[in-house]
Amino acid sequence: MTPRRRATLRDIAAALDLSVNTVSRALAGKDAVSPDTRERVQAEADRLGYVPNSMARSLVLRNAMTIGLVITNPSNPFYARLISAIEERGRVHGYSLMLMVTEDSVENERRVAEELMRWGVDGVLAVPVQHGTEHWERLRKSGTPVVLVNRDLPGLDADLVGVDYFESARRATGVLLDGGARELCLIEEDLDISPVAERIRGFHAALGEHGLDEAAGTVTRVPTRRRESSSQPWDPIDSYAIGRDLARRIGPGSAVLAGNDYFALGVYRAFSEQGLSIPGDVAVAGHGDHPFAAYLDPPLTTVRLPAGRVGATAVDLLLERMSGPDAAGGAEAAERGPQRALLPAEVVVRASTMGER
Amino acid sequence: MTPRRRATLRDIAAALDLSVNTVSRALAGKDAVSPDTRERVQAEADRLGYVPNSMARSLVLRNAMTIGLVITNPSNPFYARLISAIEERGRVHGYSLMLMVTEDSVENERRVAEELMRWGVDGVLAVPVQHGTEHWERLRKSGTPVVLVNRDLPGLDADLVGVDYFESARRATGVLLDGGARELCLIEEDLDISPVAERIRGFHAALGEHGLDEAAGTVTRVPTRRRESSSQPWDPIDSYAIGRDLARRIGPGSAVLAGNDYFALGVYRAFSEQGLSIPGDVAVAGHGDHPFAAYLDPPLTTVRLPAGRVGATAVDLLLERMSGPDAAGGAEAAERGPQRALLPAEVVVRASTMGER
DNA sequence: TTGAAAGCGCTAACAC
DNA sequence: GTGTTAGCGCTTTCAA
């Protein structure tokens, strides 16, 4: 209510007839202060409702105690969980989070990277839009470490923390094949982002291992729905269309692997409308283990993604880089080049792939 | 790679043998600069890869160009959409977003409010945890406007932008009653947060309007699952348990209204396991219109929440407050006291409530 | 049109 | 122990 000026060190100093410096040290808990002074300073600070000014502090210390998080779309449940995990782990280490949303637009991403530079964040965690590495390069050249999350960005040799989608798709496909499927369809959205590329590889690898040739597996692309804004949630509508299409063509012994549980959902609906039973006629598996997956009818086999671990690992790696070679020039013997951590994902087998044939 | 110091105004000034001041004005596009100088400054700035230091700027200007967003759990799809909308609207006005996650803990909330004060954010948007208003009071006393989002916080007379849950529940309940239900159950989690309280009121209001007394409607509480961390997504498991319970007791002419689509999902499963058909035996409606709602079997009647509008409105109101009375002392005649905007939500009627009885 | 000086709030030498 | 001085990078009077 009273929009009074915030109290500063100077106010405390003046009230106690001390120097600003002494007050600063007292409050910072440094040693060169008499117990008595410390107490008086503390008391006066409380009385005045003193709150340190992080900006001023950061300006002189040349660290922002802030990390930037660049995300394409918070409505993607995986990213939502990532945000939580990162915020949490960051806070544990005293870092605040500056969140930027790109909505998968390189243009936005460039703006956002610039903004992050201006603020001088200490490090950046980014789910990169494809195409366009210069802005990340600039950031790094200016001394700000960048760790990619979930998606790789060819052309930028930065650290990466993600999920082992190759393996997850390989194993999920294996489950479908073990169930007897001989004609498989992988449904994905943007084919050119790295997680999808990896899943496609894993998909084919599994086919090969089971003695099928590539023709047994087709990859279908869900049209990228340029959402008006990422505050519009995902929509299974497009995969529903694909499912209808699929339903007409496929016969028994077919299976669908979706790169996203939402896609699986659209397929569910299409199949049920067309009178195809899951898993009787077609087995279906997804990716993400979104909260609804276990509650569908039938419960959906899906890949559970380690969002929490990815977030925590990414923060840890970033922190390491922030105090690493560039900054300290210290023990840089150990890990030079970019690190890449691909965490394992678990296939959760449920009824949608457990048909008896 | 080259962790070279960031270029500053001084570097540009030195290179051009100008004063820092002139460079500053040239770059800021102020008028008192010769076209020639301006051009040279701009060129040198580009050459040096100059990026203005927002912290230094904010320190002297006493505005952070940042708004703080305090959210309980980004994995709640409604909040995820809110985050997007707020980030977007903020950016349009040149504001960055500092995101804080409380996981519904007052303790966290206090820490987070303090942190926001330290950074001197220009304004705060918050989905408040219940109980505990002092930290918000402090923030406001220090001159930082606070706008509550989605949840009201009794005891704090701050602005609020939310959803008209009273009306949404009243109408959704009306749909169930119109469908012939005479025994209703509302399923909610935390009964003491304002949206839930409003929904309960709306629920009862609808019963009354249809000539039923309160006994016709029971409110069941889903135990609050203290998630280990909000990076754990929602889980319909508890509402599933409730659904099983319910399934044993209820007869034809029953209906369930869930405060959350996830709860409806748990109920779906329970009912189907118990051989109850939806909507044949029991009608079900939810809240949120989460992406999966339309794809359940049967498609779920639910309340579509205006996340985008809530976010945008909240930012607009905050911006208004930020340039308002406290700051400018300007035209404060118009709107004194706290404003509260409750945006309307739309009931989307689908098959889960369209039984013929 | 440009420059000099002061200051935002804080920390870090270095004296005393 | 405590104070003095300097400076982080920027903007803003106020002179010249």
Side-chain angles (χ1 to χ4, degrees):
Chain A
M1 296 296 110
T2 25
R4 213 162 51 261
R5 215 185 85 261
R6 263 169 75 176
T8 72
L9 287 189
R10 211 165 57 178
D11 298 329
I12 302 180
L16 263 38
D17 206 33
L18 287 171
S19 81
V20 174
N21 186 341
T22 305
V23 175
S24 168
R25 274 165 19 225
L27 256 23
K30 302 253 169 125
D31 27 336
V33 180
S34 84
D36 172 59
T37 313
R38 167 159 300 141
E39 207 161 303
R40 288 169 51 224
V41 168
Q42 192 53 259
E44 185 65 14
D46 291 348
R47 206 180 64 73
L48 258 38
Y50 170 75
V51 175
N53 183 325
S54 291
M55 289 225 173
R57 184 164 207 278
S58 289
L59 187 57
V60 34
L61 257 31
R62 308 163 144 286
N63 69 354
M65 290 313 285
T66 298
I67 72 185
L69 174 57
V70 181
I71 283 268
T72 55
N73 176 6
S75 284
N76 178 327
F78 177 64
Y79 292 145
R81 294 204 284 144
L82 212 51
I83 293 174
S84 286
I86 289 170
E87 204 269 356
E88 187 183 337
R89 186 66 145 232
R91 176 167 316 291
V92 167
H93 293 274
Y95 286 83
S96 294
L97 201 66
M98 198 142 233
L99 179 75
M100 307 278 179
V101 178
T102 59
E103 292 175 20
D104 256 313
S105 137
V106 205
E107 216 168 307
N108 283 342
E109 197 177 65
R110 271 192 273 266
R111 254 208 306 278
V112 143
E114 166 89 12
E115 194 65 26
L116 256 13
M117 283 198 73
R118 289 175 188 248
W119 279 112
V121 296
D122 304 312
V124 170
L125 257 24
V127 178
V129 173
Q130 294 307 289
H131 316 117
T133 59
E134 330 76 28
H135 44 295
W136 299 130
E137 292 287 13
R138 283 191 67 195
L139 209 41
R140 296 177 56 194
K141 273 206 188 81
S142 83
T144 310
V146 175
V147 171
L148 301 178
V149 183
N150 192 49
R151 293 183 185 175
D152 195 7
L153 186 51
L156 186 76
D157 66 334
D159 300 314
L160 165 70
V161 177
V163 175
D164 189 348
Y165 290 112
F166 169 79
E167 194 56 23
S168 75
R170 195 181 72 82
R171 302 236 304 276
T173 306
V175 167
L176 296 170
L177 289 165
D178 289 343
R182 284 300 170 265
E183 201 170 330
L184 313 213
C185 176
L186 173 63
I187 301 182
E188 293 283 2
E189 189 171 0
D190 290 313
L191 298 190
D192 52 353
I193 63 174
S194 72
V196 175
E198 289 299 291
R199 285 199 287 263
I200 293 178
R201 278 186 50 225
F203 179 62
H204 286 144
L207 292 175
E209 290 163 12
H210 284 250
L212 297 177
D213 64 11
E214 292 224 343
T218 63
V219 178
T220 304
R221 188 173 177 292
V222 173
T224 304
R225 180 167 287 270
R226 273 287 152 253
R227 309 175 202 38
E228 144 212 341
S229 114
S230 64
S231 73
Q232 291 309 319
W234 231 268
D235 193 320
I237 184 78
D238 296 307
S239 59
Y240 166 67
I242 288 178
R244 282 171 51 120
D245 232 53
L246 232 47
R248 283 194 211 95
R249 302 200 307 257
I250 61 179
S254 294
V256 171
L257 176 59
N260 187 304
D261 288 347
Y262 287 122
F263 297 162
L265 197 51
V267 168
Y268 260 53
R269 157 72 73 83
F271 285 0
S272 106
E273 281 182 7
Q274 305 291 316
L276 288 178
S277 102
I278 302 172
D281 297 317
V282 192
V284 178
H287 255 86
D289 194 24
H290 294 329
F292 61 79
Y295 289 83
L296 297 181
D297 183 19
L300 178 68
T301 291
T302 181
V303 174
R304 179 173 298 158
L305 305 176
R309 287 190 54 208
V310 170
T313 307
V315 172
D316 290 347
L317 180 51
L318 184 64
L319 255 30
E320 197 182 311
R321 290 303 192 188
M322 278 161 39
S323 57
D326 272 11
E332 31 185 317
E335 23 85 29
R336 283 308 277 175
Q339 293 196 196
R340 25 198 59 228
L342 295 185
L343 307 182
E346 171 194 5
V347 180
V348 183
V349 179
R350 302 204 180 98
S352 69
T353 56
M354 299 201 292
E356 42 255 282
R357 313 219 163 179
Chain B
M1 295 295 111
T2 25
R4 215 165 47 265
R5 218 187 80 262
R6 266 170 72 176
T8 71
L9 287 189
R10 212 165 58 176
D11 297 329
I12 302 179
L16 263 40
D17 205 34
L18 286 171
S19 80
V20 175
N21 184 345
T22 306
V23 176
S24 167
R25 274 168 16 229
L27 256 23
K30 301 254 167 125
D31 26 338
V33 180
S34 85
D36 173 57
T37 312
R38 166 160 300 141
E39 207 161 302
R40 288 170 50 223
V41 168
Q42 191 54 257
E44 185 64 14
D46 291 346
R47 207 180 63 73
L48 259 38
Y50 171 75
V51 176
N53 183 324
S54 290
M55 288 226 175
R57 184 163 207 280
S58 288
L59 186 58
V60 33
L61 258 32
R62 312 161 141 283
N63 70 352
M65 289 313 284
T66 297
I67 71 185
L69 174 57
V70 181
I71 283 268
T72 56
N73 175 6
S75 285
N76 178 328
F78 177 66
Y79 291 145
R81 296 205 283 146
L82 212 51
I83 292 174
S84 285
I86 288 170
E87 204 269 358
E88 186 183 338
R89 187 66 146 232
R91 175 167 318 290
V92 167
H93 293 275
Y95 286 83
S96 294
L97 201 67
M98 199 146 236
L99 179 75
M100 308 279 180
V101 177
T102 59
E103 293 175 19
D104 255 315
S105 136
V106 205
E107 217 168 305
N108 283 341
E109 196 176 68
R110 272 192 273 264
R111 255 208 305 280
V112 142
E114 164 88 13
E115 193 64 27
L116 256 14
M117 284 197 73
R118 291 175 185 246
W119 280 112
V121 296
D122 303 312
V124 170
L125 258 23
V127 178
V129 174
Q130 293 307 288
H131 317 117
T133 59
E134 329 75 28
H135 45 294
W136 300 130
E137 292 287 13
R138 283 192 69 196
L139 209 42
R140 298 177 56 197
K141 271 202 189 86
S142 83
T144 309
V146 175
V147 171
L148 301 178
V149 183
N150 192 50
R151 293 183 186 176
D152 195 8
L153 186 51
L156 187 76
D157 66 334
D159 299 315
L160 166 70
V161 177
V163 175
D164 189 347
Y165 290 111
F166 169 80
E167 194 57 24
S168 75
R170 194 180 72 82
R171 302 235 304 276
T173 306
V175 168
L176 295 171
L177 289 165
D178 290 343
R182 284 300 170 265
E183 202 172 328
L184 314 213
C185 176
L186 173 62
I187 301 183
E188 294 283 2
E189 190 171 2
D190 290 313
L191 298 190
D192 52 353
I193 63 174
S194 72
V196 174
E198 288 300 290
R199 286 199 287 264
I200 293 177
R201 276 186 50 224
F203 178 63
H204 285 144
L207 292 176
E209 290 163 12
H210 284 251
L212 297 179
D213 64 12
E214 293 224 343
T218 63
V219 178
T220 303
R221 189 174 176 291
V222 174
T224 304
R225 180 168 288 270
R226 274 286 151 253
R227 310 172 201 40
E228 145 211 341
S229 112
S230 62
S231 73
Q232 290 309 319
W234 231 267
D235 194 319
I237 184 78
D238 296 308
S239 59
Y240 166 68
I242 289 178
R244 283 171 51 120
D245 231 55
L246 232 47
R248 283 193 210 97
R249 301 201 307 256
I250 62 181
S254 295
V256 171
L257 176 59
N260 187 304
D261 287 347
Y262 288 120
F263 297 162
L265 197 50
V267 168
Y268 260 53
R269 157 73 73 85
F271 286 1
S272 105
E273 281 182 8
Q274 305 291 318
L276 289 177
S277 100
I278 303 172
D281 297 316
V282 193
V284 178
H287 256 87
D289 194 25
H290 294 327
F292 61 79
Y295 289 83
L296 296 182
D297 182 21
L300 177 67
T301 291
T302 182
V303 174
R304 178 172 299 158
L305 305 176
R309 288 190 53 208
V310 170
T313 307
V315 172
D316 290 347
L317 181 51
L318 184 64
L319 255 31
E320 196 181 311
R321 290 304 191 187
M322 277 162 41
S323 57
D326 271 11
E332 32 186 317
E335 22 84 32
R336 283 307 276 179
Q339 293 195 196
R340 26 197 59 228
L342 294 186
L343 307 182
E346 172 195 4
V347 180
V348 184
V349 179
R350 303 205 180 97
S352 70
T353 56
M354 299 200 293
E356 44 255 279
R357 315 215 165 185

